[in-house]
Amino acid sequence: MPQNEYIEESIKRHGRRLDHEERMRKREARQVHKNSQFAQKVHGLRAKLHNKKRHAEKIQMKKTIKMHEEKNAKQKNEEAVPEGAVPAYLLDRDGQQRAKVLSNMVKQKRKEKAGKWDVPLPKVRGIAEDEMFKVLKTGKKNSKQWKRMVTKATFVGDGFTRKPPKYERFIRPMALRYKKAHVTHPELGATFHLPIIGVKKNPQSPLYTQLGVITKGCVIEVNVSELGLVTTGGKVIWGKYAQVTNNPENDGCINAVLLV
């Protein structure tokens, strides 16, 4: 564990206060009033920025609610039609039942789409290029400074071969390359040591995604075939996404939470 994470270490050792959940609930309830007071007081450019942010939040919230809604529709049930003559005005009413239109698979896809960005760590600290890369000086008089060495954990595929040193722009050290991650399943509450398939998205920069740099908050794809997860159609799930929750370059391992 990094030396500066005293609060997390204390929680792991001694736990939280007995009334922690109640305090958090009350703080969350008060936050609405605080936001309201701020919105009434703020003016000028800050008000414009605040309103723009709230507008975007409301749109996102409405979209999420709409995605999660399950609409009911009337479908005709042939078995429930009674025998014998039926009045004309009852023809369209009889033999109907309230049925959910969407199948389980479609509902599941909608929920996945609605919760597309619901990840364990929604916000991460930005990393500057000075921290990410170390400048390597080359040439007879160390005058050339176009090479960069990555100082964070990286992933490269099995078939990876380095370019010749003359043409290599980014150097990924062997000591910081990882092939496996400790992935926790949030519903099972169990952790598995799974091989990494690739880096799906690094929120810091598209360049870091391309280089396969793994930092806190990065979404990686892991091989979950040994867990025996199956789809509704009965097919075995091979790869799933997981978000990295620690700083691998400090801890020497990758800890992640499976996105289910």
Side-chain angles (χ1 to χ4, degrees), residues 11-254:
I11 290 167
K12 281 181 182 177
R13 284 183 181 174
H14 311 294
R16 296 185 183 273
R17 291 171 56 124
L18 295 175
D19 60 343
H20 172 75
E21 284 78 12
E22 186 66 15
R23 283 161 63 90
M24 288 296 106
R25 185 188 64 76
K26 287 182 177 178
R27 180 181 288 180
E28 198 175 339
R30 284 196 299 267
Q31 194 60 41
V32 182
H33 301 288
K34 285 189 176 180
N35 289 346
S36 174
Q37 286 174 359
F38 178 76
Q40 288 173 36
K41 276 198 298 185
V42 72
H43 56 86
L45 186 61
R46 284 185 77 193
K48 282 186 178 179
L49 293 170
H50 178 73
N51 291 338
K52 190 178 178 184
K53 183 184 169 189
R54 284 290 296 141
H55 181 63
E57 284 175 6
K58 283 179 181 176
I59 288 171
Q60 189 59 43
M61 190 169 64
K62 281 183 181 177
K63 279 183 182 175
T64 308
I65 291 167
K66 195 175 180 183
M67 288 288 186
H68 281 293
E69 274 179 0
E70 290 179 354
K71 293 182 181 176
N72 289 337
K74 291 184 178 181
Q75 284 186 345
K76 192 152 186 174
N77 187 7
E78 297 296 335
E79 294 173 3
V81 176
E83 292 180 2
V86 181
Y89 60 86
L90 288 178
L91 281 172
D92 60 336
R93 291 191 199 174
D94 266 6
Q96 283 186 348
Q97 64 172 4
R98 302 293 289 177
K100 287 173 184 174
V101 172
L102 304 171
S103 68
N104 286 337
M105 193 181 289
V106 175
K107 273 189 267 183
Q108 187 64 29
K109 283 188 178 178
R110 279 197 171 188
K111 282 179 184 174
E112 282 174 12
K113 195 176 177 185
K116 196 175 181 183
W117 307 112
D118 294 345
V119 287
L121 297 175
K123 289 185 180 179
V124 288
R125 180 182 69 88
I127 298 175
E129 284 203 2
D130 301 342
E131 189 182 341
M132 182 68 76
F133 299 120
K134 180 184 174 186
V135 179
L136 288 184
K137 296 180 180 179
T138 57
K140 281 187 177 178
K141 297 178 182 177
N142 286 341
S143 56
K144 297 177 182 176
Q145 299 183 7
W146 55 273
K147 280 198 177 191
R148 298 285 182 272
M149 186 168 74
V150 181
T151 59
K152 304 286 180 188
T154 55
F155 169 78
V156 295
D158 291 331
F160 172 75
T161 50
R162 284 179 60 179
K163 289 181 182 177
K166 186 178 179 182
Y167 304 111
E168 197 172 32
R169 169 114 165 82
F170 296 103
I171 298 167
R172 288 168 280 192
M174 289 285 289
L176 285 169
R177 292 186 195 172
Y178 291 84
K179 288 190 175 180
K180 289 199 170 186
H182 300 115
V183 182
T184 303
H185 196 295
E187 290 173 5
L188 296 176
T191 305
F192 306 94
H193 196 47
L194 302 176
I196 300 170
I197 298 171
V199 177
K200 172 66 178 173
K201 174 87 175 171
N202 192 317
Q204 305 290 345
S205 164
L207 172 65
Y208 303 159
T209 307
Q210 192 180 348
L211 287 171
V213 178
I214 300 171
T215 55
K216 191 172 183 177
C218 174
V219 177
I220 58 174
E221 192 174 6
V222 289
N223 188 345
V224 293
S225 56
E226 62 186 61
L227 302 189
L229 302 174
V230 291
T231 62
T232 49
K235 293 181 180 177
V236 177
I237 299 171
W238 186 63
K240 267 186 105 56
Y241 296 132
Q243 190 182 32
V244 179
T245 55
N246 71 326
N247 293 312
E249 68 278 4
N250 292 350
D251 298 349
C253 65
I254 297 172

